[in-house]
């Protein structure tokens, strides 16, 4: 049987995906990207999906970038195809209807940083190292970094990072808003347990609606985005969740979604 490059663990609809190519620091080659896309397609239609967490195997690396050895001899046409496949896959991750969280447990470079940027938020362990070092290899970021990085950290910091190729540590990543939290690696498991508990106790449709409002709203002018929020808010009152959530509050009990 061929080795699984994307390990899957399903904890009642909270799915953890582990990119598993530890000998190459989980670098993204075509095989990893193909398998990741297949897994994401299988998740897209799952009504019971509550959240997706994505991480890298081992304690040294999240993802150390696109696979340099595989890219080395590509023609422009092959490079376009490779980037296209990765962009499509990363977009699928971004568009999942549930929160997607990057658990950055080490090197998060190049395509790895671009993967983390497509997640709704990221947490980092204190050994994490971030960067877009493509210029050191004579290329620019190709998996969305020049577009998603400025949207997350602002254009000045993004241009600093993509033109110098400098690496930053977890604390700097926190300061510039690239990650939401930093913790020792030994505490990551407890964080995941707590997050799982929190997400499970919330109304699943409300969680999906919240993500949809933010994502879709960001592509619109403010008035249209506020109208979208109002529509999604009103829609909540058409389902069972709102009635259960508000009744539970009034009856001083825990909601059962
Ligand atoms: N592609 C392919 N293989 C990689 C890799 C990558 N991006 N990163 C690491 N590896 C491999 C190494 O070649 C090495 O393999 P061997 O044992 O067979 O030699 C193995 O992983 C372990 O790596 P190191 O021995 O280099 O480990 P280290 O601890 O000394 O250094 C590191 C770690 C600083 C992350 C270093 O490996 C490194 O600089 N890697 C490349 C990082 C990089 O440039 N990423 C961007 C890639 S380009 C890109 O992503 C383009 C894009 O936007 C699409």
């Amino acid at each position: 049987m061929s080795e699984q490059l994307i390990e899957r663990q399903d904890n009642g609809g909270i799915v953890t995906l582990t990119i598993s190519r530890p000998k190459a620091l989980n670098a993204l080659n075509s095989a990893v990207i193909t398998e990741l896309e297949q897994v994401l397609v299988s998740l897209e239609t799952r009504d019971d999906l509550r959240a997706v967490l994505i991480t890298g195997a081992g304690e040294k690396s999240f993802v150390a970038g696109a696979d340099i050895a595989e890219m080395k001899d590509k023609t422009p046409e092959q490079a376009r195809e490779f980037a296209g496949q990765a962009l499509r896959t990363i977009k699928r991750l971004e568009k999942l209807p549930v929160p997607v969280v990057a658990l950055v447990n080490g090197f998060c470079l190049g395509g790895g940083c671009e993967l983390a940027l497509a997640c709704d938020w990221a947490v980092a362990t204190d050994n994490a190292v971030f960067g877009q070092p493509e210029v050191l290899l004579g290329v620019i970021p190709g998996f969305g970094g020049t577009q998603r990085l400025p949207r997350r950290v602002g254009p000045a910091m993004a241009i600093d990072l993509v033109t110098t190729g400098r690496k930053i540590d977890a604390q700097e990543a926190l300061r510039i808003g690239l990650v939401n939290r930093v913790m020792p690696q030994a505490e990551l498991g407890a964080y995941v347990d707590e997050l799982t508990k929190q997400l499970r106790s919330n109304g699943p449709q409300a969680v999906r609606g919240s993500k949809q409002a933010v994502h879709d709203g960001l592509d619109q002018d403010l008035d249209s985005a506020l109208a979208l929020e109002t529509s999604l808010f009103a829609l909540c009152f058409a389902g069972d969740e709102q009635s259960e959530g508000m009744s539970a509050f009034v009856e001083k009990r825990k909601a059962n979604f």
Side-chain angles (χ1 to χ4, degrees), residues 24-193:
L25 301 183
N26 307 319
L28 301 173
N29 62 9
S30 314
V32 172
I33 296 167
T34 300
E35 197 172 310
L36 180 59
E37 183 167 29
Q38 286 163 355
V39 172
L40 293 172
V41 167
S42 76
L43 294 178
E44 279 166 359
T45 49
R46 270 187 53 179
D47 291 338
D48 66 331
L49 190 67
R50 305 286 291 258
V52 171
L53 314 179
I54 185 157
T55 192
E59 298 201 331
K60 185 173 172 185
S61 184
F62 173 68
V63 170
D67 190 301
I68 300 166
E70 188 183 283
M71 278 186 297
K72 187 171 101 34
D73 296 319
K74 284 196 189 302
T75 63
E77 209 33 64
Q78 290 166 335
R80 179 185 289 279
E81 207 176 296
F82 181 57
Q85 182 200 19
L87 279 177
R88 191 178 65 227
T89 303
I90 286 174
K91 187 97 177 182
R92 284 191 188 282
L93 183 71
E94 186 172 49
K95 291 279 175 200
L96 283 174
V98 297
V100 178
V101 184
L103 308 174
V104 179
N105 56 327
F107 291 115
C108 183
L109 301 170
C113 194
E114 292 166 300
L115 184 73
L117 283 165
C119 297
D120 291 310
W121 79 86
V123 303
T125 55
D126 51 14
N127 65 325
V129 176
F130 296 79
Q132 296 288 164
E134 286 86 349
V135 284
L136 279 75
L137 300 164
V139 296
I140 72 167
F143 291 179
T146 63
Q147 304 310 310
R148 290 195 179 92
L149 189 59
R151 284 166 170 77
R152 181 137 321 165
V153 303
M157 184 55 78
I159 295 175
D160 168 350
L161 291 172
V162 300
T163 60
T164 63
R166 73 185 174 90
K167 297 185 179 70
I168 61 172
D169 64 16
Q171 287 304 331
E172 185 168 0
L174 179 66
R175 191 173 56 71
I176 67 174
L178 189 50
V179 302
N180 289 20
R181 295 179 182 74
V182 176
M183 62 197 71
Q185 195 142 54
E187 289 174 18
L188 189 61
Y191 171 78
V192 168
D193 289 347

Side-chain angles (χ1 to χ4, degrees), residues 94-100 117-121 151-152 180 205-222 224-233:
E94 186 172 49
K95 291 279 175 200
L96 283 174
V98 297
V100 178
L117 283 165
C119 297
D120 291 310
W121 79 86
R151 284 166 170 77
R152 181 137 321 165
N180 289 20
Q205 293 309 322
V207 170
R208 286 179 176 231
S210 305
K211 170 166 174 172
Q212 188 191 343
V214 174
H215 272 255
D216 293 356
L218 281 171
D219 293 334
Q220 301 177 16
D221 64 83
L222 184 60
S224 310
L226 290 170
L228 168 74
E229 184 192 75
T230 304
S231 299
L232 290 170
F233 175 71

